[in-house]
Amino acid sequence: QVQLVESGGGLAQTGGSLRLSCAVSRSILDFTLMGWYRQAPGKQRELVARISRAGITNYAGSVEGRFTISRDNAQNTVYLQMNSLKAEDTAVYYCNADIRNWGRGTQVTVSS
C-alpha cells in the first residue's frame, strides 16, 4: 500500500505561480507513471500532467507551456510547478501513482 500526500496549494492571483508537491510513502521508482489530476466544481476529474519512470512527460493542452511536472527519486516526491495561473486552473489537485493510487488532494484557487 502507498500513501500520497499533496501540499503547496492555496490562493494565487491570476498570472501568479504555485508549486505543488506530492510526497510518496515508498520509492516512486516502483511506479511506471506519476501524475497530477484536477477536479473543478461540477466537472470531471482530468489529467493535468504525468511523468514516466524514464522522465517522459505529457501535459493537458490547457496547461502546456505553463505547468511543469518533475520528480525527485531520492526524495520520493513529485512536483507540479504552475506558472501564469488562470481562473480556470481553480480546482482540487490530486497526485496519482499508476492510476489506482490517489492522494487526498490540495485546493488551488486562482482569483483576479
Side-chain angles (χ1 to χ4, degrees):
Q1 199 164 1
V2 61
Q3 291 185 332
L4 297 86
V5 180
E6 302 94 338
S7 61
L11 179 64
Q13 290 192 331
T14 301
S17 298
L18 284 173
R19 188 194 196 203
L20 305 184
S21 299
C22 172
V24 184
S25 63
R26 65 185 227 217
S27 174
I28 60 176
L29 292 173
D30 290 346
F31 304 100
T32 302
L33 282 174
M34 299 295 302
W36 287 96
Y37 290 70
R38 67 186 180 187
Q39 187 167 18
K43 295 188 177 181
Q44 289 188 335
R45 192 173 297 189
E46 62 175 0
L47 174 68
V48 176
R50 60 187 180 187
I51 185 167
S52 73
R53 186 185 290 126
I56 297 170
T57 58
N58 296 101
Y59 296 93
S62 60
V63 307
E64 185 89 48
R66 299 189 297 122
F67 290 10
T68 302
I69 188 170
S70 61
R71 58 192 292 158
D72 184 333
N73 295 332
Q75 297 296 323
N76 294 325
T77 302
V78 180
Y79 302 99
L80 185 68
Q81 178 67 44
M82 306 186 295
N83 299 328
S84 302
L85 284 164
K86 304 176 181 180
E88 50 264 43
D89 295 319
T90 295
V92 178
Y93 284 70
Y94 297 90
C95 183
N96 176 273
D98 279 355
I99 305 301
R100 58 192 174 95
N101 301 292
W102 294 93
R104 293 188 176 184
T106 185
Q107 176 71 46
V108 171
T109 303
V110 183
S111 68
S112 55

